[in-house]
Every structure is written in C-alpha cells, then in structure tokens.
Amino acid sequence: MLDHGAPPHNGGPAAPQLQGTGMRLMRRKPVERLVAEGGQGEGGTLRRSLGLWQLTMISIGATLGTGIFVVLGEAVPKAGPAVTLSFVIAGLTALFSALSYAELAGTIPVSGSSYSYAYATMGELIAWVCGWCLMLEYGVSVAAVAVGWGEYLNELLDGTIGVTLPAALSAPPGDGGVFNLPALIVVLLAMAFLLGGARESARANTVMVVVKMGALVLFCAIGVQGFRSGNYENFMPLGMAGVSAAGATLFFSYIGFDAASTAGEEAKNAQRDLPRAILLSLAIITALYVLVAAVAVGAKPWRQFTDSEADLAQIMREVTGQSFWGTLLAFCAVIAIASVVLTVLYGQTRILFAMSRDGLVPKVFARVSPRTGTPRANTLIVSLFCGVLAAAVPLGQLADATSIGTLFAFALVNVAVVVLRRSRPDMPRSFRVPLSPLLPALGFGFCLWMMGSLSTVTWIVFGVWMAVGLVFYFLYGYRRSRLAAPATPEAK
C-alpha cells in the first residue's frame, strides 16, 4: 500500500514537509497496476499483434546496424586477430544486462522498459532519471544513425548512377552542409511505417533485418574464399589489454536489444515471448559478429585494417576482383541503418507513451488512435523532433552521450532485478536470472566500468542533460504524477 499522506510531526517545523517530499520522491508504482494498465492510452488502446518472431526482429533491427559495418576498422588495430575474442567478451558483458532485462520483461511486460522497472522497484525519482536517460539514448541515437544513413546513400548513388547529393544537402551545419536532407527523409519514412501500426512496422523491419543478415552471411561466404591461416599466427599481438580495449569499443555494437522490451504492451504473449526474444536476438547477433570478424581477419592481415567503414567492402573487392561488391555493401548498409532508425524510433515513442500515462510528461504522448491502435501524435512529435535534430544540428560529441545514457539505464535494470527479487519473491516469473544476485552485480559493475571509460565531455553533456531533466520533473512531473493523486477507483 502507498501512503501519500504526511507522516507524523516528529521534528522541527520543516521536518514533516521534508519527510513527505522524500516519500513522494520514493513512491513506487505497484507491479499489478503497471500490468493492469498495459495498452491503455488516452482515447484508445495499443493492439497486441506481435509474436516471438517479430519481437526478435525488433531487437535485432535495433542492434544490428552500422556497428558491424564500421566497427572492425576501429577494433582490429587494438586487438589484432584476437578481435574475435573481443566480440565474445563484449557479448558476455551485454549478456549480464540482457539476462536482467529478460527477467523483468517477463515479470513486468509493459512499454516503459527500464523506466517502468525502476518505477516498480526504486521509486518515482529514479524512474524519472532512467526515463530521461532513455530519451537521450533513443532520441539522439535516432538522429545520429540517420546522419550515417545519408553518407551510405551517397555511396550507393555514386556506385549505381554515378551522382551524389551536394554537400549542402547531405550534411548538417558545421559539418560542411546546410541541411541534411537524407537524414530527415529516413526519419520521415520510419514515421510513416510507425503510423500505419505496430504490425505493419514489424513486417517492414523484418524484411530489412533479413536483408542485412543475408548481406553479412554473403560476406562470410565470399570472404572465406580468401582465408589465409597465416593471418592468425600472431593471435594476440597487443596482449590482453588490447583485447579488453577492443571489447570496450565493441560493446556499443550490442546496444539495442532492450528495444524488444518497449513492445511489452503490443506483444501477444509478452511474459513468454519477451525474455525469449531478448536472449535469442543477442545470441544471433553475437554469432554473426564473431563469424564476420573471424572471416574478415582471415582474409585480410590485421595491420591493413583502417578506421574506415569500407573494410568489408574492400575485402569483398579484393577476393573477387570486382567493384560491384562495394556498391552491394552500401545498399545493405542503407537497409541496415533504416531498420535501426525504425526500431529505435519505435522504442522512443513507447517509452514516452508509458511516461505520459503516468503523468510525468504531457498527455499528448499517451493519445492512441482508435483506428490504427498507435500513439499518432506521439509518433509525429518525436519523429519531427529527431528528423530536424539530425538534419539541422551538428551532433558531434552529443551523439556519444547515447552510450552513457544506455549504460546508466542498464545499470539500473541490474539493480531492479535484485530489488524485486527481495521485495516480491513470490511473484510469478517466466524467466529468472541464474546465479542472482551475482550476475546482476557483474552486469552493474561492467556498466559502471564502461561509463568510467567515457570522455569528460560526454560526462559534462550527461550532467547538463540530467540537470535539465530534474528541473522539468520538479516543475511538471512531481505534481502531475498520477501516483500523487488520492487512491480512488478512477485513478488506476
């Protein structure tokens, strides 16, 4: 039971008010209430239309994007042929948090992802901070990924029809352009799919995911023909320190599996399918990453890798002696990045939907169209904001802040698992983290370690973002929270 009244006066004049404020900041939303409100919005409800396959594709779609196309050029010089081991280490690091996500997604199958998990376990203030971090992770990453889409689109146009968009229309101000038109276009395309409904968006994403997975399998099939065992003779030239450094770089290629948890209120059988989708997608992604890395290093000496997105295309050209493959990889990258924009934009809208339903952000984000079963106004606002951000604002190191926001949310999820195990030990769970609390503690520790490795500028941006979020919370969410209202039958 939640007691929203002021506690007895047991101190100076300010003591009751101070204690009452503290209790309001720590008020928790009961799990049963979170689940009971699932799908309910302003004027309509979300439609449960997603099965295990669609949920898995959403998770893969949000994760398997630009990372594998660009990351080898950054990671191989750090680890040498042992980059395959770095991928495994990064995957294990992600697995710790994925296990915690899987347990909570099966126990609290709602759209808010880690925001809702924190609300049920650690209180409203921590939940707000987590939700604000997710806005940074999802919103800015949509814009950042959309910028990359424009670069690959130019490569594709150049390789097919021999023309490219002028710099003024393909880069934001500060990066040599005036307005990044392709970045805006890809966000608007994703918006159009989302407005059509969750099922339609999932179908489009599934097609794009199959294309980019097929492209990576094709790379392996071609690249293995140039495999030279001698490229693996000095397996760990820079020692374990190099393997660890590459692993830290590669970890961010795994971020995105949490997108499946934002579909909790549109899944047909969320408690059964969400944990499976999260873990299955992570297994598929890790296997693909390791296979691609192993083939790439076997086909090309590690010292010849450069910090360039063209390494995979170069390997295919060298093995086959044809330039066609560079164009094919550009096409697949265009598809891959579009899939990431679609699924991450989807996740952002569903998190805002959950926060709006709780009263912490304006009601417009919780309005649901009775015709399509989607939060139309939410989708329009978020899409236009992210599209303009990508097209007109030079993101620079602001984009790096997505990493710190993600890691902070991951850390809180690992804590939430342990808290809910202790506060509600008898609650039915469709999946349980093995060796708890050891594995959640490892997940929490790895997240803190990686946060500590980020730059000072990133921490400054994160601090400013958090300060703005707290101001908004105390001016708006603190008083408008639905938990602040008296417990009545209407205030569900």
Side-chain angles (χ1 to χ4, degrees):
M1 295 292 292
L2 294 175
D3 182 6
H4 300 297
H9 179 30
N10 57 2
Q17 179 65 30
L18 180 62
Q19 190 173 0
T21 299
M23 291 179 65
R24 291 182 68 179
L25 294 177
M26 296 300 293
R27 56 197 173 200
R28 291 179 293 177
K29 189 171 183 179
V31 174
E32 291 79 6
R33 181 169 169 179
L34 277 166
V35 176
E37 291 180 350
Q40 299 178 18
E42 297 285 334
T45 58
L46 301 177
R47 295 176 181 172
R48 293 191 177 276
S49 58
L50 305 178
L52 174 61
W53 173 250
Q54 290 91 346
L55 294 170
T56 303
M57 292 298 102
I58 287 174
S59 184
I60 294 176
T63 308
L64 189 66
T66 55
I68 191 60
F69 290 98
V70 304
V71 79
L72 281 179
E74 301 175 16
V76 172
K78 297 178 181 179
V83 70
T84 52
L85 183 58
S86 298
F87 268 111
V88 173
I89 292 173
L92 287 174
T93 302
L95 177 63
F96 293 134
S97 293
L99 290 171
S100 295
Y101 263 99
E103 176 169 330
L104 291 175
T107 308
I108 314 174
V110 293
S111 292
S113 185
S114 50
Y115 154 77
S116 294
Y117 309 152
Y119 212 164
T121 56
M122 290 175 279
E124 185 171 285
L125 180 61
I126 300 299
W128 168 262
V129 170
C130 186
W132 195 247
C133 285
L134 291 174
M135 288 190 213
L136 181 67
E137 172 195 348
Y138 281 83
V140 177
S141 64
V142 166
V145 171
V147 171
W149 188 81
E151 297 174 1
Y152 278 105
L153 179 63
N154 256 341
E155 290 187 23
L156 178 60
L157 292 174
D158 185 44
T160 53
I161 59 178
V163 299
T164 59
L165 293 173
L169 294 178
S170 59
D175 290 339
V178 176
F179 191 81
N180 193 329
L181 184 61
L184 177 61
I185 289 174
V186 71
V187 174
L188 294 181
L189 287 174
M191 179 188 74
F193 281 115
L194 292 176
L195 291 175
R199 178 186 296 177
E200 291 72 14
S201 302
R203 286 174 177 169
N205 173 67
T206 298
V207 172
M208 290 187 280
V209 169
V210 170
V211 168
K212 61 186 178 183
M213 290 176 62
L216 294 176
V217 172
L218 178 63
F219 165 80
C220 293
I222 293 175
V224 75
Q225 299 175 32
F227 191 91
R228 301 291 182 271
S229 59
N231 291 338
Y232 277 93
E233 287 182 355
N234 188 9
F235 182 69
M236 201 180 295
L238 302 176
M240 197 61 201
V243 173
S244 299
T249 299
L250 295 170
F251 174 79
F252 302 109
S253 299
Y254 289 88
I255 291 174
F257 62 79
D258 56 321
S261 66
T262 66
E265 295 174 27
E266 291 161 287
K268 295 177 183 177
N269 191 337
Q271 290 183 313
R272 181 195 67 187
D273 292 340
L274 282 178
R276 296 179 180 180
I278 291 171
L279 297 178
L280 179 60
S281 64
L282 187 61
I284 292 172
I285 289 163
T286 302
L288 269 176
Y289 282 170
V290 172
L291 182 61
V292 169
V295 171
V297 175
K300 182 176 181 177
W302 71 272
R303 293 183 184 278
Q304 296 180 17
F305 279 78
T306 59
D307 187 3
S308 166
E309 69 276 1
D311 282 309
L312 296 185
Q314 289 173 0
I315 290 172
M316 295 182 80
R317 283 196 297 266
E318 291 169 1
V319 171
T320 63
Q322 301 176 17
S323 61
F324 163 78
W325 301 108
T327 302
L328 177 63
L329 259 293
F331 169 76
C332 294
V334 167
I335 298 297
I337 297 172
S339 174
V340 175
V341 171
L342 175 64
T343 50
V344 174
L345 192 63
Y346 169 85
Q348 172 72 95
T349 60
R350 270 44 179 185
I351 290 166
L352 278 170
F353 173 84
M355 296 178 74
S356 176
R357 186 173 55 201
D358 292 333
L360 301 185
V361 297
K363 290 183 179 180
V364 65
F365 292 102
R367 292 178 187 166
V368 176
S369 167
R371 184 175 65 85
T372 62
T374 60
R376 293 180 62 85
N378 180 342
T379 303
L380 285 168
I381 294 170
V382 172
S383 300
L384 292 175
F385 174 80
C386 291
V388 171
L389 183 68
V393 179
L395 296 178
Q397 289 187 312
L398 179 62
D400 295 337
T402 61
S403 299
I404 198 169
T406 304
L407 287 167
F408 189 83
F410 281 13
L412 290 180
V413 168
N414 284 294
V415 174
V417 164
V418 178
V419 172
L420 193 62
R421 283 276 190 102
R422 297 195 175 188
S423 62
R424 302 292 302 274
D426 299 326
M427 178 175 292
R429 291 168 169 83
S430 59
F431 175 83
R432 300 176 70 92
V433 179
L435 302 177
S436 179
L438 175 60
L439 293 189
L442 287 173
F444 179 79
F446 273 112
C447 288
L448 292 186
W449 170 61
M450 291 193 175
M451 288 175 70
S453 68
L454 297 173
S455 69
T456 302
V457 173
T458 300
W459 276 96
I460 292 173
V461 171
F462 182 67
V464 172
W465 177 258
M466 285 293 103
V468 172
L470 290 174
V471 169
F472 184 91
Y473 170 72
F474 283 108
L475 291 179
Y476 186 93
Y478 177 73
R479 292 176 175 82
R480 294 175 180 264
S481 167
R482 295 189 66 183
L483 286 188
T488 65
E490 291 79 14
K492 293 181 181 180

